[in-house]
Amino acid sequence: MKTQNKCVNITSIFHCNYAIFLSFAFLFSALFPALAGCGKTASPRTETVFALDTVVQITYYRDADKNAVMEALSACKAYEKLFSRTDPESALYRLNHANGEETEVPEELYKFLLEVQKYAVRYPDYFDITLGAVSDLYDFKSENPEVPSDAAVSEALSHTGIEKVSFLGDRKIRLLDKGLSLDLGAVAKGYIGERMKEMLENAGVRSALLNLGGNVLAIGKRPDGRAFSIGIQDPEHEDRMIKTVDVSDACVVTSGNYERFFIKDGVRYHHLIDPETGRPAENGLESVTVVTEDSFLADLLSTLLFVAGKDRAEALLQDFPPLHVYFIENGELKEAVN
Ligand code: ADP
Ligand code: MG
């Protein structure tokens, strides 16, 4: 992994709506010609799909790479049939609605869950993939969202806990509590991005930028030899960047309290849940951005470190491979490396 922090061009930032997507597309096309001064630069092409409840985009530079790009985007869409909590045809949905019955899942989902379980067992206070019943209490898409009652939260919390997920071998899993529901929102995009990156690299793509709703992965460098510059959003101004980081062969993944939220009576209710209280984590953090090689780990950690809060997060960094972490706490940007 190589990261530098000097360039000020923004080549990527995405959120879950098309308005920002369009403004980004404009920004991108407006900025790119300015980069051509340092030599002849292949012009970027982008392909986009809506998948995983967000905008997924690949920017690439050679016509010859288009087929591989289209295949990676199709694979991304196909992953909904594994990881979606809402699609009744998905493997995760069937597992979540098995009423406590032993369920056989595709091998890829089984292995993925086994891997993710390790983190949930090790860091149960911050990272919990069994929070589905709690997540369901917060409707961030509603015009008139409700704050869940204490009774509803404690009832939902009684249906959580990684120890209630039983791995039986032979791809079989049993959820030991009928009300328990797995929610992979914190890690699925990171894993899928990594698989898409692998597909592209295996097809010979040497330079590309993947963006899965703000999870950004760089393959190689830009064709002009420079790193990709990725913006980190200012949580308080949707259209402003607080920082840009330059990456090649690395990813930049953010979890922020401005991504999915509603405000009720002056209080912000967001989607990063403290597993102990069942309420949005309140610790002064507005966002956590993780820069590292592997986007699965970056996605998992962006959520885990956010919920832990900055001080505990810094203490946890030593458990992991090289990371560069950007915390935005009460409007202030702070960096940490391990
Ligand atoms: P996104 O990039 O979609 O905003 P994040 O990677 O920040 O997602 O993860 C947030 C999602 O993870 C939530 O929407 C929810 O599905 C799930 N989640 C929330 N809190 C936790 C937690 N403490 N541990 C694991 N998953 C969580
Ligand atoms: Mg995450």
Side-chain angles (χ1 to χ4, degrees), residues 1-12 28 32 35 38 41 61 206-209 216-231 244-252 291:
M1 176 186 53
K2 293 159 213 106
T3 64
Q4 314 135 29
N5 301 320
K6 52 181 167 51
C7 183
V8 288
N9 293 307
I10 298 156
T11 57
S12 180
F28 189 94
F32 229 87
L35 306 177
C38 16
T41 310
Y61 298 88
R206 294 285 164 263
S207 178
L209 197 66
V216 179
L217 293 78
I219 295 181
K221 297 179 163 82
R222 295 188 327 198
D224 65 5
R226 293 164 68 177
F228 291 99
S229 275
I230 313 296
T244 58
V245 292
D246 285 8
V247 290
S248 49
D249 285 320
C251 67
V252 181
V291 181

Side-chain angles (χ1 to χ4, degrees), residues 230-251:
I230 313 296
I232 297 176
Q233 190 183 320
D234 180 341
E236 273 145 48
H237 302 96
E238 202 182 347
D239 53 349
R240 265 192 234 162
M241 303 299 150
I242 203 164
K243 167 99 188 156
T244 58
V245 292
D246 285 8
V247 290
S248 49
D249 285 320
C251 67

Side-chain angles (χ1 to χ4, degrees), residues 126-128 131 135 183 185-186 189 255 259-260 271-273 275 299 302-303 307:
Y126 316 129
F127 179 73
D128 185 354
L131 285 175
S135 296
D183 176 351
K189 274 190 292 174
S255 287
E259 285 168 338
R260 261 173 291 159
H271 68 315
L272 299 157
I273 305 291
D299 197 8
S302 68
T303 310
V307 175

Side-chain angles (χ1 to χ4, degrees), residues 13 25 62 81 97 113 126 137 139 163-164 171 202 232 236 249 254 290 304 326 338:
I13 260 288
R62 300 183 307 188
K81 293 285 178 246
H97 293 83
L113 289 173
Y126 316 129
L137 299 176
D139 183 355
E163 70 287 352
K164 297 179 189 164
R171 302 193 278 130
N202 290 341
I232 297 176
E236 273 145 48
D249 285 320
T254 299
V290 177
L304 189 157
Y326 298 88
N338 61 354

Side-chain angles (χ1 to χ4, degrees), residues 57-104:
Q57 180 192 50
I58 301 177
T59 300
Y60 62 105
Y61 298 88
R62 300 183 307 188
D63 288 334
D65 292 340
K66 181 164 182 179
N67 282 348
V69 166
M70 299 313 287
E71 276 175 26
L73 290 174
S74 303
C76 177
K77 193 83 194 145
Y79 268 112
E80 289 178 348
K81 293 285 178 246
L82 220 52
F83 292 108
S84 170
R85 275 192 78 216
T86 51
D87 179 349
E89 287 175 16
S90 87
L92 182 72
Y93 187 97
R94 283 200 297 273
L95 176 61
N96 278 341
H97 293 83
N99 272 321
E101 299 289 326
E102 178 179 307
T103 308
E104 188 171 315

Side-chain angles (χ1 to χ4, degrees), residues 103-108 110-111 167-173:
T103 308
E104 188 171 315
V105 300
E107 184 164 16
E108 186 171 9
Y110 191 82
K111 285 188 175 157
F167 291 84
L168 305 167
D170 286 338
R171 302 193 278 130
K172 294 195 180 69
I173 297 178

